[in-house]
Amino acid sequence: MNQVASVASRASAQSIDVSAMRRHTLWDAALRIGTRAAAITVLLLLAGVIVTLFKGSWLAFSTFGPGFLSTETWNPVKEEFGALAPIYGTIVTSIIAMAIGIPISLGIAIFLTELCPPSFKRSISTAIELLAGIPSIIYGIWGLFVLAPFLQAHVQPVVIAAFAGVPFLGAMFAGPPYGIGVFTAGIILSIMVLPYITSVTRDVFETVPPVLKESAYGLGCTTWEVVTKVVLPFTRTGVIGGVMLGLGRALGETMAVTFVIGNAHRISGSILAPGTTISASIANEFTEAETALYSSSLIALGLLLFVITFIVLAIARFMLYRLKQKAG
Amino acid sequence: MQPHAFNMAMYNRRRFVSRLLMVLSWAAAVSGMFVLLLILGTLVYRGVGGLNLAVFTENTPPPGSAGGILNAIFGSVVMTLFGTALGTPVGILAGTYMAEYGRNTWLTTIVRFINDILLSAPSIVIGLFVYEVMVVTMGHFSAWAGGVALALLVLPVVVRTTEDMLLLVPDGLREAAAALGSPRWLVISKVCYRAAKAGMVTGVLLAIARVTGETAPLLFTALNNQFMSTDMNAPMANLPVVIFQFALSPYPEWQQLAWTAALLITMTVLILNIGARALSTQNTKKN
């Protein structure tokens, strides 16, 4: 503050220092232009990513045409590549992650806003948020050495036996218990998206005016009725935004999935079988891709992933902004 | 219908449904905590056994023999520092534009939207981008490329926190400084930055925590190096890629080192996260 004061006192004493004023004008211009340039850099970064990936994937798209998206074959020896198996794996793992992750995240958010004793609230929130801080590779090594063997020994045999012979579910849970596979990847992803969905939904649940909830309780509603008939309708946009944010994470998650999915370029009817996702294929094969067409096909996968996650995340942000505007 | 027809069955059903779902909410919270403790417990259980002096003094061993991860720790620290040093200034400048110069302009709205998307975009795509731009151009993998990839991940985190923290600075402070005749750049650097300092440092800590464990963008940029290397122009070892390689290997010595490295990384990240959190609560209390 001293310098500010001294600048001011110098100016007010009428002894205007021309060179100092010129220096200030210069610094002002430099900072204004510099900050604007930095802001534009963020936009250029996005443009750069899209242009580069587009250029890199051109060879693959021009060789295979639109059939690239609908072909299951992935044969590096014959140089025939199709993206269907990774796309399928990405979507199926994300669906599993959401099916498990959304109810649990909402449950935790309801617990934190409606049930939790105030003294525990902070520490439980922090603990859940720390789950988001754990690096993805740690989930991978834990999934491979702890979760997969556990599922293989205790969960998958039971599931396979339970659904054997049931028309649709039997095929879905068929085959030997590998431990690793699409199902295990989905479970790991569900743990990883938990903190994202939980922290957004908890925040939007807290924006519900207490008087609305109190009125509902006053009419004799149970806690569950307050949550489903007052809190959720009031916060719908924000909850959808949080879920889409989690979905964006699940679609693009790389290392954890690479460890546990088994990396098989095929589409199996059973979700217990090994598969692959877009990001896992890139992580596994990119450094080994010798030919131009092979690496171009992997970059094409990267472009697809970027476009899909961009759309999902854009919807998420749009929903959350709208909520913020509504809240004022 | 009787005036006081109280439907006991319905009341009981409603109460039961509510109780059941509240128990399930409890169970969800408990299972979330349980998973966190389980992961940390496993890391400590499998990692602590391998913690010894050699871990910090020897380089990654060839298959089947003992050694340490000195070169990987060194590489991770160097590339994280370089990435932070490169990404932070740009992020702070961009955040400054959004909060100070371009509030409510179309540029700020677009940059905020794009930045929020980059914040959660898949990091492997950033790896591919840097590979195409730097590794292909230079003709080889290098620590420079790894550092740049990390800088691109630091950037959105810093932009976001800088903007948020500067917007919290009351306009009265800016007006008071301007009324004393201080030019805009002094208002920003001497008043706004000082008021928002703790929050901005929190943002940088969170950004470091985020890139410390990032693996995917380093796979095709810095690659890995079995030996100690201080050459930024060559492939460099780093903890995440060493964990990836060693954990998937069949050698017990390598797997043990992977667990120990995983424990070290997780502890670093958690300490950074908790430190950032403590700093920001301290700051809000002071205000």
Side-chain angles (χ1 to χ4, degrees), chain B residues 16-271:
Chain B
F16 172 73
V17 167
S18 185
R19 288 261 167 87
L20 178 71
L21 284 146
M22 291 312 119
V23 168
L24 288 179
S25 286
W26 267 95
V30 169
S31 62
M33 303 285 288
F34 176 71
V35 168
L36 177 69
L37 292 178
L38 197 63
I39 293 175
L40 296 182
T42 313
L43 279 174
V44 171
Y45 175 71
R46 313 234 355 204
V48 148
L51 266 185
N52 51 42
L53 197 62
V55 168
F56 301 99
T57 54
E58 286 173 33
N59 289 338
T60 43
S65 54
I69 45 175
L70 173 65
N71 51 344
I73 295 175
F74 174 81
S76 272
V77 170
V78 167
M79 280 189 282
T80 304
L81 286 182
F82 174 66
T84 313
L86 194 67
T88 305
V90 182
I92 287 182
L93 285 178
T96 307
Y97 175 81
M98 293 158 76
E100 299 290 335
Y101 289 104
R103 247 187 244 183
N104 304 322
T105 59
W106 61 271
L107 180 61
T108 299
T109 315
I110 295 176
V111 170
R112 189 183 298 134
F113 188 70
I114 298 298
N115 189 67
D116 279 347
I117 288 176
L118 289 176
L119 203 60
S120 0
S123 58
I124 192 159
V125 173
I126 300 293
L128 283 179
F129 169 64
V130 175
Y131 173 86
E132 285 287 296
V133 171
M134 289 185 71
V135 178
V136 170
T137 321
M138 295 161 75
H140 54 85
F141 298 101
S142 71
W144 291 123
V148 169
L150 293 185
L152 296 183
L153 295 167
V154 166
L155 180 68
V157 183
V158 177
V159 170
R160 183 64 199 259
T161 44
T162 305
E163 193 208 357
D164 285 352
M165 290 306 137
L166 285 176
L167 285 177
L168 286 180
V169 176
D171 277 339
L173 282 182
R174 294 188 181 90
E175 286 156 9
L180 290 172
S182 49
R184 193 81 182 262
W185 74 276
L186 275 181
V187 175
I188 292 171
S189 60
K190 302 281 180 194
V191 179
C192 299
Y193 281 168
R194 276 189 197 181
K197 194 168 68 188
M200 287 161 69
V201 173
T202 305
V204 176
L205 286 182
L206 287 177
I208 296 175
R210 173 166 179 209
V211 299
T212 301
E214 277 293 353
T215 319
L218 292 176
L219 279 174
F220 350 110
T221 50
L223 203 68
N224 198 356
N225 194 334
Q226 203 191 324
F227 307 102
M228 184 71 170
S229 163
T230 52
D231 183 4
M232 290 294 280
N233 212 9
M236 193 181 264
N238 55 84
L239 283 173
V241 176
V242 164
I243 297 176
F244 182 48
Q245 191 191 342
F246 282 17
L248 291 175
S249 76
Y251 313 107
E253 293 88 354
W254 276 18
Q255 289 187 0
Q256 179 58 57
L257 278 176
W259 279 108
T260 308
L263 177 66
L264 288 179
I265 270 198
T266 309
M267 288 306 137
T268 314
V269 171
L270 290 187
I271 288 169

Side-chain angles (χ1 to χ4, degrees), chain A residues 8 28 122 129 133 220 225 321, chain B residues 14 116 180 185 240 269 277 281:
Chain A
D28 264 339
R122 232 192 118 72
E129 277 161 27
E225 286 162 351
Y321 286 146
Chain B
R14 286 173 55 210
D116 279 347
L180 290 172
W185 74 276
V269 171
R277 223 168 272 274
T281 25

